[in-house]
Amino acid sequence: MRSFKMTEQEIYMQRALQLASLGLGLVQPNPLVGAVLVVDNQIIGEGWHQCYGKNHAEINAILSVQDQELLKKATLYVNLEPCSHFGKTPPCANAIIEYQIPKVVIGNVDPHDKVNGKGIHILQEADVEVTTGVLEKECYELNLRFFTFHQQKRPYIILKWAQTADGFMDIDRTHHPESQHYWITNQEINTIVHQWRSEEDAILIGYQTYLNDAPQLTTRFFPGKNPKKFVLCHSPLRNEKELVDKGFTLLDFDFSSENSLSAILEELYARNIQSIIVEGGKKTLESFISSGLWDEARILTGNQSWGQGLPAPTFNVTDSKPIIIADNTIQYVRRHL
């Protein structure tokens, strides 16, 4: 949290970020973008990118203005550089020029190969006054999924697991192989997890987790879209058709190969998966941790103590303040920023 007074530009950019966040889970693979139009220190219009394939934030903001003549003296605040290419919709940079908006304030330059400064160049060539870098860190953080995907050529990776108060994530399957799935955390936490699923493109588990728990990996506790489902396994499998029939995509993965995980991420990138939650078991999670291929971890701790079982991954969360929900906790750990 900032300890100093925000400037006028930062205030309106903060509003753009608030609007942008409303598109989480709805606009991928596009970025989260909000836009605010201001004249004489008054907001005259605002909008955000609400759905992939539909109007971008700038267009929604422009169309929300009742007196279109005011656009000729307005300043447009937008957290990401206006696009400069034809995709599902026409270029926003061209629309800004068409509506004669004289000033544009931008948070981040768009890293997409088809934009990456081109939108700014188009605006400046048309004598639009452009300011960049306002709340740059906050704007970058909001779109970590988008930036990771385009800059690192892989999905944004969220590790997630539940553990007991004494640090166990599963029972000892060696002695109890037929045990069914059970809940470690409370219903409030379970609902939050289903909300998280609705916000990401995909979810990934290991084959053993599928055999142990037969997870649905849906958002049935939260009104949102279901993520695409992936399972790491090594072919051939006896139940391959069963997995496919249940909506899983199989990813051929060899735990003994150092490059196997990188190859999996390359495949997910090629499939246009911008973000993924890894909800696998200990072995799958630790393969991501040991490879350094993760961006965020969400550790859920219930109030049960088992005394024995399969230990959860060891993780340094000393810099993370737990969020307490009823008698359970959530800890967020992020590698970025």
Side-chain angles (χ1 to χ4, degrees):
M1 182 178 293
R2 290 172 171 261
S3 59
F4 54 87
K5 186 176 180 180
M6 298 181 78
T7 67
E8 180 179 308
Q9 287 187 336
E10 289 172 337
I11 289 170
Y12 294 123
M13 187 61 73
Q14 184 64 48
R15 176 57 181 163
L17 287 171
Q18 291 173 347
L19 293 167
S21 67
L22 298 175
L24 185 58
L26 303 172
V27 303
Q28 288 98 321
N30 286 350
L32 299 167
V33 183
V36 177
L37 284 158
V38 178
V39 173
D40 297 331
N41 208 28
Q42 295 290 323
I43 293 176
I44 63 166
E46 56 185 28
W48 69 94
H49 187 28
Q50 299 179 18
C51 181
Y52 176 67
K54 298 297 178 65
N55 284 342
H56 288 186
E58 299 93 323
I59 305 304
N60 284 332
I62 288 169
L63 295 178
S64 75
V65 177
Q66 293 184 350
D67 183 357
Q68 296 279 294
E69 284 298 309
L70 288 174
L71 293 171
K72 296 178 181 179
K73 56 180 181 178
T75 299
L76 172 68
Y77 293 85
V78 59
N79 60 292
L80 192 70
E81 174 185 5
C83 63
S84 56
H85 64 289
F86 283 88
K88 294 285 186 181
T89 59
C92 292
N94 292 6
I96 292 167
I97 295 167
E98 178 186 344
Y99 283 94
Q100 301 180 50
I101 298 170
K103 296 181 181 180
V104 178
V105 178
I106 297 168
N108 293 143
V109 175
D110 190 330
H112 195 292
D113 293 340
K114 294 182 178 179
V115 188
N116 200 10
K118 296 182 182 70
I120 293 172
H121 178 72
I122 289 171
L123 293 173
Q124 291 175 331
E125 285 291 299
D127 293 326
V128 176
E129 181 182 326
V130 179
T131 302
T132 61
V134 175
L135 291 189
E136 186 172 16
K137 180 179 178 181
E138 291 84 347
C139 293
Y140 183 84
E141 184 172 3
L142 180 71
N143 272 311
L144 276 173
R145 297 164 180 81
F146 183 74
F147 280 96
T148 299
F149 184 78
H150 287 285
Q151 293 175 336
Q152 300 188 40
K153 309 301 181 185
R154 64 163 176 81
Y156 184 79
I157 301 166
I158 300 169
L159 307 181
K160 171 260 167 184
W161 69 86
Q163 62 186 32
T164 62
D166 52 352
F168 297 103
M169 68 181 303
D170 200 354
I171 60 173
D172 184 352
R173 295 281 175 176
T174 303
H175 297 97
H176 304 279
E178 303 302 324
S179 295
Q180 298 300 308
H181 180 70
Y182 43 84
W183 295 105
I184 292 177
T185 51
N186 60 32
Q187 185 58 46
E188 290 86 352
I189 295 284
N190 298 338
T191 301
I192 290 170
V193 168
H194 285 217
Q195 178 181 348
W196 291 345
R197 290 175 178 175
S198 76
E199 294 170 350
E200 312 305 335
D201 285 345
I203 191 166
L204 180 147
I205 61 172
Y207 182 58
Q208 194 60 47
T209 295
Y210 174 79
L211 292 179
N212 290 345
D213 301 335
Q216 298 180 53
L217 306 181
T218 64
T219 59
R220 59 194 180 278
F221 299 152
F222 185 84
K225 67 175 180 60
N226 290 322
K228 298 179 178 70
K229 301 187 293 187
F230 293 88
V231 60
L232 296 178
C233 54
H234 203 43
S235 299
L237 300 173
R238 288 180 303 172
N239 62 346
E240 183 170 331
K241 184 178 184 303
E242 172 189 309
L243 282 160
V244 173
D245 288 344
K246 289 184 177 181
F248 283 91
T249 298
L250 279 61
L251 300 174
D252 194 5
F253 180 71
D254 182 1
F255 278 101
S256 65
S257 172
E258 292 183 3
N259 298 321
S260 188
L261 191 55
S262 294
I264 291 298
L265 295 180
E266 288 176 9
E267 182 174 345
L268 291 171
Y269 175 79
R271 291 174 178 268
N272 213 27
I273 300 298
Q274 191 179 103
S275 63
I276 193 161
I277 301 177
V278 179
E279 286 198 23
K282 181 182 176 73
K283 194 172 183 180
T284 299
L285 288 163
E286 288 186 340
S287 69
F288 280 87
I289 294 170
S290 62
S291 300
L293 291 171
W294 64 279
D295 300 289
E296 185 178 333
R298 300 175 183 178
I299 305 166
L300 316 175
T301 304
N303 67 340
Q304 307 173 44
S305 292
W306 291 353
Q308 61 180 353
L310 180 68
T314 55
F315 216 71
N316 179 17
V317 294
T318 56
D319 60 345
S320 172
K321 293 182 179 179
I323 297 173
I324 301 173
I325 299 177
D327 52 0
N328 291 188
T329 63
I330 302 175
Q331 288 179 297
Y332 294 87
V333 182
R334 180 175 286 168
R335 297 187 69 187
H336 289 267
L337 304 180

